[in-house]
Amino acid sequence: MAKSKYEYVKNFELPDPCLPNCWIVVRIDGRGFSRFADIHGYVKPNDVRGLNLMTRAATCVMDEFRDICLAFGQSDEYSFVFRKDTNLFNRRASKLMTVVNSLFASSFVFHWTGFFGPIRLQYPPTFDARVVMYPTDKNLRDYLGWRQADAHVNNLYNTAFWGLVLKKGFSNTQAEERLRGTLASDKNELLFSEFGLNYNNEPPMFRKGTVLIRKLCKTPGDGKLRHVVLPFYTDLIGDMFWRENPEILGMKS
Amino acid sequence: MAKSKYEYVKNFELPDPCLPNCWIVVRIDGRGFSRFADIHGYVKPNDVRGLNLMTRAATCVMDEFRDICLAFGQSDEYSFVFRKDTNLFNRRASKLMTVVNSLFASSFVFHWTGFFGPIRLQYPPTFDARVVMYPTDKNLRDYLGWRQADAHVNNLYNTAFWGLVLKKGFSNTQAEERLRGTLASDKNELLFSEFGLNYNNEPPMFRKGTVLIRKLCKTPGDGKLRHVVLPFYTDLIGDMFWRENPEILGMKS
Amino acid sequence: MAKSKYEYVKNFELPDPCLPNCWIVVRIDGRGFSRFADIHGYVKPNDVRGLNLMTRAATCVMDEFRDICLAFGQSDEYSFVFRKDTNLFNRRASKLMTVVNSLFASSFVFHWTGFFGPIRLQYPPTFDARVVMYPTDKNLRDYLGWRQADAHVNNLYNTAFWGLVLKKGFSNTQAEERLRGTLASDKNELLFSEFGLNYNNEPPMFRKGTVLIRKLCKTPGDGKLRHVVLPFYTDLIGDMFWRENPEILGMKS
Amino acid sequence: MAKSKYEYVKNFELPDPCLPNCWIVVRIDGRGFSRFADIHGYVKPNDVRGLNLMTRAATCVMDEFRDICLAFGQSDEYSFVFRKDTNLFNRRASKLMTVVNSLFASSFVFHWTGFFGPIRLQYPPTFDARVVMYPTDKNLRDYLGWRQADAHVNNLYNTAFWGLVLKKGFSNTQAEERLRGTLASDKNELLFSEFGLNYNNEPPMFRKGTVLIRKLCKTPGDGKLRHVVLPFYTDLIGDMFWRENPEILGMKS
C-alpha cells in the first residue's frame, strides 16, 4: 500500500525520556507579554485580573493532570511540578511540556472573558515552555525559591517604578535612572517616604506569587471530601510550607 | 542577595538544539479529539467547520513565524515545516515546538465562534507536539507523503464507516465488521454501489488534507503585492506541486 | 582564509551535558570477550590473571581521574563512579565516557605482559562504554547492587557449568541442560555433592567482584600519607561497606 | 531473586540514537599529546613513526567496522566516517564512539613496538572521541575540508617554527614572536629564503594528512580480489578525489 512506502520517516522521531526519579518541572512563559499587557490595558504594576486568569488557566492544567503536585506562578510565567515518580506519557519530555503548554494557552483564552469582562481579547497569546529535571528535594525547593525570589525582586522594582511614573509624573527613563543601583532597602525606603507605602503590606499575591496545591475539601452539596486545587500566597523558601504540606515532597497520592 | 543563592538551579536547564541543515517539522495533534468532536456535535465523517478552524489556527501560526514555509493539516493534526536554514530561537527544539503549539491552541479557542457560531466551546482543548528533523528534501517529501497517505486511508475508511452507520443504520460494531479486511478498492466499490458515491468526487479537502503556503497576492485597497498564507487541497506526493512551488524547497525567502 | 570557509561544520557538534547533581556512572564492557578468552587460554570459570589485568587497567583510570570515587569490576566489565558534583570536562557525557574507555583499553594492552607473561596478546581488544546518571545515593547503591548480584548469579552458574564440563566430562550442551531451571540452592547443592565444593569458600574476588576505592596509605620510603587506589572483594549490598567508607557518598575529597 | 530488586536501575540508561540518513563522523583526539610526544622523543615537526602508528591503529578500526567508508587523520586526531545508512549498533551514538575509540587506543599500544622499535612506551595514552552527524554530502565534504585545511595550516606553522628552533637556534618564544601575524605566503617565503625549503615539496603526508579508504586489491597468493584499507595523501577539498572514488559518497558496498 502507498502508506507503507513512507512509514520509514517515523524512524526520524527520536526518543526524549526524562531521567527517572527526578522532579520534572514544566515552566511556561508568556511571549511578548509587555506588549500584550499594554494592548489590553493591564493595570500597573500588577493586574489582579491578569494574575487570576493565569491562575485559572494553571488550575485547568492541574485539574487535568493529577501527577502535577504543585504549581507556582508569578507575572507571565507558571511552573508545574510533576511528581518525581510520574510515568505520565512515559516521561517523554516533548509530550509533557506541550500538553501543559497548550492546555494553559487554550484555557487562558477560554476564561478570558470571565476575568476581563467587556475588554475584548485582541489576539491569541503565545507561551513557550521548557522541561527541567531536579534530582533532589533540595534542588526542587531551590528552584521554587529562585522563582519566588525573582517575583519579589521584580515586584519591588515594579512597585517603585510605577509609583514614580504614575504618581510622581516621572518618564519611564527618569524612573529607571532614579532606581538604578538601588538596593532592596532603598526601594522600601523610597516607597515609604514618597508614597507612604509599607511594602510588606502589599498584597501577598503580588509579593510572593501564587502557589497551587491540592487540598481535601468538603464538597458543597453532597458533603463529600474531594481534592481541590487551591491557591496560596505564601512563602516557599522557609520550611513552614513544606512542613504543613508534607504530602507534596512525600509523594503521597 | 537572596536571589543569587538559588540561581545555580538554572544550570539544570539542558540545551536541545536541532541539528543544522535539517528540515524541522513540528507536528501538533489533538488530544482526546474523538470525545471533543462528539461533545461539540462535529458532523461525520468530516466537519467542514472543524477543519477550517484548524486551518485558521495554523494560519495564525504561519503569520507569526515566517520561517515556516509550509504546513499540512488533516483530521486533528497539523504539521509545520520550518526552513532548513532557520535560526529561529537558535533552533532550540523546546522553544520551536511550544510556541507553535501554544499559539495554535490559543488561536483555536480565539477563532472558535467564527466557525461554530452559536455552538459554545465546552472546554479548552489540548494538543501535543513533537519536533522531527529531516536531513534531505526527499525525506521531507516522504514525511508529507506519509501524512497525506494517512489522510486518504483514514478518510476513505471513515466515509464508508459513517455511510453504513448514518445511512444504513449499522451499529458501530457492525460497520467495523463489514469493513474489516477490505481493500481500498472494496471500499470504493461499496461507496458506489451502496450510496452512489464516487469517492474521487468527494471534496479534495477531505481526501487530500490542507496545504498552507505563502503566495504573493495583490492586496485589496493599495494593490501592493504581499505574501499571504493560502490553503490548497492538492496532491503533495507527485512532483507537480513541488515544480509549481519551487520556492518551498529552494528556500527562497 | 581557506580554513574559515569550512568552520561552520563545527556547529553540527551538539552539546551533551550530564544533568547536575547526579552520580555519573561510566560502564565499560568487553566486546566479544568469550572469543577473546578462548583464544588467550583463559582459565575457566575465572581467570585470575584476566581479572587482575582488568583491575590494573581500572586502577590506571582512577589514578588519572581523581573525580572517580569508586569503581566496581566483574567478568569483562568495569563501572566507574564519578562524584556527583564533578565538573570534569564540564560533565560532557561523550568526553567522560571516551577518556575512561580509551585509557582502560590502552592500559589493558600496556599491562598485558605483566599478567600473562609469555602468552602473547593476539589482537587488540575492544570495549564499549555508556554513561548513566543516578539522582540519589540509593539509586547508585542499587546500581552497584545490581552489578554485584549479577556477578554472583553468573559466577555461581559458571562454577557449576565448568565443574560439569571440566571435571565430569559433560559437553557444553549437556551442562546447560543439567542446569536449566535450577535455583541458586540447587547449584550450591550440586557443587557440594558433586565436587565437594562449598561455594561460600570460593575466593571473594570471584563471588563478589572487585571494588576499587582510594585509601590513605603510608608511602614506603618517605612515610608520608598518600591516597592510593586499593581493591576490595567485599559486599556492596549491605550497609557495612558504606558505613566504613563514608567519604565515598559523602563526597569528601 | 536478589537480582530483580535492583533491575529497575536499568531504566536510567537513556537512548541516544543518531538521526537516520545522516553521515556519522566519530573523531578521536589524543589527550595531552604534546607531553606524550616529548616524552617519547617524537621528531619535530612531524614524526613519521608516530603518524604511521596512528594510521595503523585507524586501519585496525576500519578492518573491524566495515561500515566505516573513509577515515582521515592528521597530527594526533583521526576522523572515521560511517556510511549514512549504517545500522551498526542501531546507530547508538555511545556505542559507535566508544568501540571506535577503544579499539583505536588498544591498537595504538598493540602496534607501538612495530613503529618505535626499541623506544619503550612509557605509559598508556588516552584519546577522547565525539560523534557528529552531517546531513548532506556537501556538509561531510566540508567537514573533511575543515580538518585538511587545519592540517595544512598547522603543518606550515610547525615547519617554520621548528625550522627556526632547530636550525636557527631560536628559543620557542623567539620563534613564536617571529611568526606572529604572518600569512601563509610569509611562512612559505621564510621557509624558502631561510632554509631553502620549498614547502610544496614537503611530503604530502605532512601537508595533506592521511586518507584511508577501501580498494579492491589482488591478494598475493591466491590472486583473489579483496577489499583492503589503503592510505592516500591526497587532496580532499577539490572534486578529483570524489570523482575518482565515487563509491564513497555513493554508498556502494
Side-chain angles (χ1 to χ4, degrees):
Chain A
M1 201 206 24
K3 198 177 163 188
S4 57
K5 167 183 166 195
Y6 298 120
E7 283 202 331
Y8 81 91
V9 298
K10 217 173 146 38
N11 298 326
F12 290 71
E13 298 182 8
L14 303 181
D16 64 345
C18 291
L19 190 66
N21 203 27
C22 289
W23 295 101
I24 299 174
V25 175
V26 174
R27 181 168 80 246
I28 69 107
D29 228 317
R31 187 168 169 266
F33 253 59
S34 308
R35 180 174 162 260
F36 184 88
D38 285 349
I39 283 178
H40 293 90
Y42 273 48
V43 173
K44 304 293 187 180
N46 288 288
D47 190 294
V48 176
R49 303 163 301 177
L51 292 174
N52 282 334
L53 172 55
M54 290 289 285
T55 291
R56 185 73 188 82
T59 304
C60 289
V61 171
M62 282 189 74
D63 281 340
E64 181 72 19
F65 301 108
R66 300 303 173 104
D67 280 2
I68 300 173
C69 56
L70 180 148
F72 176 73
Q74 59 125 338
S75 182
D76 61 349
E77 74 171 47
Y78 241 100
S79 297
F80 298 88
V81 180
F82 283 89
R83 296 153 50 101
K84 62 192 300 187
D85 62 350
T86 187
N87 204 30
L88 186 64
F89 305 125
N90 291 317
R91 298 176 75 87
R92 287 159 55 195
S94 299
K95 274 274 198 183
L96 291 170
M97 76 179 114
T98 58
V99 296
V100 164
N101 193 41
S102 66
L103 180 53
F104 189 94
S106 68
S107 299
F108 187 97
V109 179
F110 186 81
H111 290 293
W112 173 268
T113 304
F115 292 84
F116 281 89
I119 299 170
R120 279 196 52 188
L121 181 59
Q122 300 297 307
Y123 59 88
T126 306
F127 299 86
D128 67 34
R130 75 194 68 206
V131 159
V132 198
M133 287 167 283
Y134 289 106
T136 66
D137 295 356
K138 180 178 186 309
N139 293 150
L140 175 67
R141 285 185 52 180
D142 286 348
Y143 169 79
L144 294 167
W146 178 48
R147 300 323 303 148
Q148 190 164 63
D150 189 76
H152 166 70
V153 167
N154 290 336
N155 188 59
L156 179 56
Y157 182 92
N158 290 337
T159 306
F161 179 90
W162 290 105
L164 292 169
V165 170
L166 299 176
K167 298 179 190 159
K168 295 281 170 185
F170 281 48
S171 71
N172 286 12
T173 312
Q174 288 170 325
E176 269 171 49
E177 270 165 26
R178 173 66 185 82
L179 295 172
R180 189 167 299 144
T182 56
L183 305 176
S185 54
D186 300 330
K187 294 189 197 78
N188 274 308
E189 175 60 25
L190 179 147
L191 288 173
F192 190 72
S193 62
E194 297 283 332
F195 310 112
L197 183 154
N198 184 337
Y199 181 72
N200 288 328
N201 296 339
E202 285 291 283
M205 181 167 74
F206 300 170
R207 290 183 294 115
K208 302 286 184 194
T210 302
V211 184
L212 292 178
I213 54 176
R214 279 189 190 79
K215 284 289 166 192
L216 266 183
C217 299
K218 199 177 279 185
T219 311
D222 68 5
K224 283 195 187 154
L225 285 174
R226 287 195 177 81
H227 278 107
V228 179
V229 174
L230 292 178
F232 295 84
Y233 314 106
T234 187
D235 179 73
L236 287 175
I237 293 176
D239 290 332
M240 191 184 300
F241 174 81
W242 304 100
R243 267 204 307 267
E244 290 177 353
N245 300 282
E247 73 283 4
I248 296 171
L249 297 181
M251 298 192 300
K252 311 244 171 48
S253 59
Chain B
M1 202 215 11
K3 196 177 163 188
S4 57
K5 167 184 164 193
Y6 299 120
E7 283 202 331
Y8 82 90
V9 298
K10 219 174 143 38
N11 298 326
F12 290 71
E13 298 182 6
L14 304 181
D16 65 344
C18 291
L19 190 67
N21 203 27
C22 290
W23 296 100
I24 298 174
V25 174
V26 173
R27 181 168 79 245
I28 68 108
D29 227 315
R31 187 168 168 267
F33 253 59
S34 308
R35 181 175 161 257
F36 184 89
D38 285 347
I39 283 178
H40 292 91
Y42 274 46
V43 173
K44 303 292 188 182
N46 288 288
D47 190 294
V48 175
R49 300 162 302 175
L51 293 174
N52 282 335
L53 172 55
M54 290 289 285
T55 290
R56 186 70 188 84
T59 304
C60 289
V61 171
M62 282 189 73
D63 282 340
E64 182 70 18
F65 301 109
R66 300 305 173 104
D67 281 3
I68 298 171
C69 57
L70 180 147
F72 175 74
Q74 58 124 338
S75 181
D76 61 348
E77 73 169 49
Y78 241 100
S79 297
F80 298 89
V81 180
F82 283 88
R83 294 153 50 100
K84 63 194 297 189
D85 62 350
T86 186
N87 203 31
L88 185 65
F89 305 125
N90 292 317
R91 300 176 75 86
R92 286 161 54 197
S94 298
K95 275 276 200 184
L96 292 170
M97 77 179 111
T98 57
V99 297
V100 164
N101 193 40
S102 67
L103 181 51
F104 188 94
S106 67
S107 300
F108 187 97
V109 178
F110 186 82
H111 291 293
W112 173 268
T113 305
F115 292 85
F116 282 87
I119 299 170
R120 278 195 55 186
L121 182 59
Q122 300 297 307
Y123 61 88
T126 307
F127 299 86
D128 67 34
R130 74 195 69 205
V131 160
V132 197
M133 287 167 283
Y134 290 105
T136 65
D137 294 356
K138 178 175 188 311
N139 294 149
L140 176 66
R141 285 185 53 180
D142 285 348
Y143 170 79
L144 294 166
W146 178 47
R147 301 322 304 147
Q148 191 163 61
D150 189 75
H152 165 69
V153 167
N154 290 336
N155 189 59
L156 179 57
Y157 182 92
N158 290 337
T159 305
F161 179 91
W162 289 105
L164 292 168
V165 170
L166 299 176
K167 298 180 191 159
K168 296 279 170 187
F170 281 48
S171 70
N172 285 13
T173 313
Q174 288 170 325
E176 267 171 50
E177 270 165 27
R178 172 66 185 81
L179 295 173
R180 188 166 301 142
T182 56
L183 303 177
S185 54
D186 301 328
K187 295 190 196 77
N188 274 307
E189 175 59 24
L190 180 148
L191 288 172
F192 191 72
S193 60
E194 298 282 332
F195 310 112
L197 184 155
N198 183 337
Y199 183 71
N200 289 327
N201 294 340
E202 285 291 282
M205 181 166 74
F206 299 170
R207 289 183 294 116
K208 300 286 186 195
T210 303
V211 184
L212 291 178
I213 55 176
R214 281 190 188 77
K215 284 290 166 191
L216 266 184
C217 299
K218 199 176 279 186
T219 311
D222 67 5
K224 283 196 188 153
L225 285 174
R226 288 194 176 83
H227 278 107
V228 179
V229 174
L230 293 178
F232 295 84
Y233 313 107
T234 186
D235 179 74
L236 287 174
I237 294 176
D239 290 331
M240 191 183 299
F241 173 82
W242 303 100
R243 266 204 307 267
E244 288 178 355
N245 299 282
E247 73 283 4
I248 297 171
L249 298 180
M251 298 192 300
K252 311 243 174 47
S253 61
Chain C
M1 201 210 18
K3 197 176 161 189
S4 57
K5 166 184 164 194
Y6 299 120
E7 283 203 331
Y8 81 90
V9 297
K10 218 174 143 39
N11 297 327
F12 290 71
E13 298 182 7
L14 304 180
D16 64 346
C18 292
L19 190 67
N21 202 29
C22 290
W23 297 101
I24 299 174
V25 174
V26 174
R27 181 168 81 244
I28 68 108
D29 227 316
R31 188 169 168 266
F33 254 58
S34 308
R35 180 174 162 259
F36 184 88
D38 286 346
I39 283 178
H40 293 91
Y42 274 46
V43 173
K44 304 291 187 182
N46 288 289
D47 189 295
V48 176
R49 302 163 301 177
L51 292 174
N52 283 333
L53 172 55
M54 290 288 287
T55 291
R56 185 74 189 83
T59 305
C60 289
V61 171
M62 282 189 75
D63 282 339
E64 182 71 19
F65 300 107
R66 300 305 173 103
D67 281 3
I68 298 172
C69 57
L70 180 149
F72 175 73
Q74 58 123 340
S75 182
D76 60 348
E77 74 170 49
Y78 241 100
S79 296
F80 298 89
V81 179
F82 283 88
R83 296 153 49 100
K84 64 194 295 188
D85 62 351
T86 187
N87 205 29
L88 185 67
F89 304 125
N90 292 317
R91 299 175 74 86
R92 287 159 54 196
S94 298
K95 275 275 198 182
L96 292 170
M97 77 179 113
T98 57
V99 297
V100 164
N101 194 39
S102 66
L103 181 52
F104 189 94
S106 67
S107 300
F108 188 97
V109 178
F110 186 80
H111 290 294
W112 172 268
T113 305
F115 292 85
F116 282 88
I119 298 170
R120 281 196 51 187
L121 182 60
Q122 300 297 308
Y123 61 88
T126 306
F127 299 86
D128 65 35
R130 75 195 68 206
V131 160
V132 197
M133 286 167 284
Y134 289 106
T136 66
D137 295 355
K138 179 177 186 309
N139 294 150
L140 176 66
R141 284 185 54 180
D142 285 346
Y143 170 79
L144 294 167
W146 178 49
R147 300 323 303 147
Q148 190 164 60
D150 188 76
H152 166 70
V153 167
N154 290 335
N155 187 61
L156 179 56
Y157 182 92
N158 290 336
T159 305
F161 179 90
W162 289 106
L164 292 169
V165 170
L166 299 176
K167 297 179 189 160
K168 294 281 169 186
F170 281 49
S171 70
N172 285 13
T173 312
Q174 288 169 324
E176 269 172 48
E177 270 164 26
R178 172 67 185 79
L179 296 172
R180 188 166 300 144
T182 57
L183 304 177
S185 54
D186 301 327
K187 294 190 197 78
N188 274 307
E189 175 58 27
L190 179 148
L191 288 172
F192 190 72
S193 61
E194 299 282 332
F195 310 112
L197 184 154
N198 183 338
Y199 181 72
N200 288 328
N201 295 339
E202 285 292 281
M205 182 167 74
F206 299 170
R207 289 183 294 118
K208 300 287 186 194
T210 302
V211 184
L212 292 178
I213 54 176
R214 280 188 190 78
K215 283 290 166 190
L216 266 183
C217 298
K218 199 176 279 185
T219 311
D222 68 4
K224 283 193 188 155
L225 284 174
R226 286 193 177 83
H227 277 106
V228 178
V229 174
L230 292 178
F232 295 84
Y233 313 108
T234 187
D235 179 73
L236 287 173
I237 293 176
D239 289 333
M240 191 184 299
F241 174 82
W242 304 100
R243 268 205 306 267
E244 288 178 354
N245 300 281
E247 73 282 4
I248 296 172
L249 297 181
M251 298 192 300
K252 311 244 170 48
S253 60
Chain D
M1 207 216 5
K3 199 176 163 187
S4 57
K5 167 184 164 193
Y6 299 121
E7 282 202 333
Y8 81 90
V9 297
K10 219 174 143 40
N11 298 326
F12 290 71
E13 298 182 8
L14 304 180
D16 64 344
C18 291
L19 191 67
N21 203 25
C22 290
W23 296 101
I24 298 174
V25 174
V26 173
R27 180 166 81 246
I28 69 108
D29 227 314
R31 185 168 169 267
F33 254 59
S34 309
R35 181 175 162 258
F36 184 88
D38 285 348
I39 282 179
H40 292 91
Y42 274 47
V43 173
K44 303 293 189 181
N46 287 289
D47 190 294
V48 175
R49 300 163 304 177
L51 293 174
N52 282 335
L53 172 56
M54 291 288 286
T55 291
R56 185 72 188 81
T59 304
C60 289
V61 172
M62 282 188 74
D63 281 340
E64 182 69 20
F65 300 108
R66 300 306 174 101
D67 280 4
I68 299 173
C69 56
L70 179 148
F72 175 74
Q74 59 123 340
S75 185
D76 61 349
E77 74 169 49
Y78 242 100
S79 297
F80 298 89
V81 180
F82 284 87
R83 294 153 51 99
K84 63 194 299 189
D85 62 351
T86 187
N87 204 29
L88 186 64
F89 304 126
N90 291 318
R91 299 175 75 87
R92 286 161 54 196
S94 299
K95 275 275 198 183
L96 291 170
M97 78 178 111
T98 58
V99 297
V100 164
N101 193 39
S102 66
L103 181 52
F104 189 93
S106 66
S107 300
F108 187 97
V109 178
F110 186 81
H111 290 293
W112 173 268
T113 305
F115 292 85
F116 281 90
I119 298 169
R120 279 196 52 187
L121 183 59
Q122 300 296 307
Y123 61 88
T126 306
F127 298 86
D128 67 32
R130 76 195 65 207
V131 159
V132 197
M133 286 166 283
Y134 289 105
T136 64
D137 295 355
K138 178 175 187 312
N139 293 151
L140 175 66
R141 285 185 54 180
D142 285 348
Y143 170 79
L144 294 167
W146 178 48
R147 300 324 301 148
Q148 191 164 62
D150 188 76
H152 165 70
V153 167
N154 290 336
N155 188 60
L156 179 56
Y157 182 92
N158 289 337
T159 305
F161 179 89
W162 288 106
L164 292 168
V165 169
L166 299 175
K167 298 180 189 158
K168 294 283 170 185
F170 280 48
S171 71
N172 285 13
T173 313
Q174 289 171 324
E176 269 171 48
E177 270 165 26
R178 172 65 185 81
L179 294 173
R180 188 167 301 144
T182 56
L183 304 176
S185 54
D186 301 328
K187 293 189 198 78
N188 274 310
E189 174 59 24
L190 180 148
L191 287 172
F192 190 73
S193 61
E194 296 284 332
F195 310 112
L197 184 154
N198 182 338
Y199 181 72
N200 288 328
N201 294 339
E202 285 292 283
M205 181 167 73
F206 299 169
R207 291 183 292 114
K208 300 287 185 194
T210 302
V211 184
L212 292 178
I213 52 174
R214 281 191 187 77
K215 282 290 165 191
L216 265 184
C217 299
K218 199 177 277 185
T219 311
D222 69 3
K224 283 194 186 153
L225 285 174
R226 288 195 176 82
H227 277 107
V228 179
V229 173
L230 293 178
F232 295 85
Y233 313 107
T234 186
D235 180 74
L236 287 175
I237 293 175
D239 291 333
M240 192 184 298
F241 173 82
W242 303 101
R243 268 205 306 265
E244 289 179 352
N245 300 281
E247 73 283 4
I248 297 171
L249 297 180
M251 297 192 303
K252 311 243 172 48
S253 60

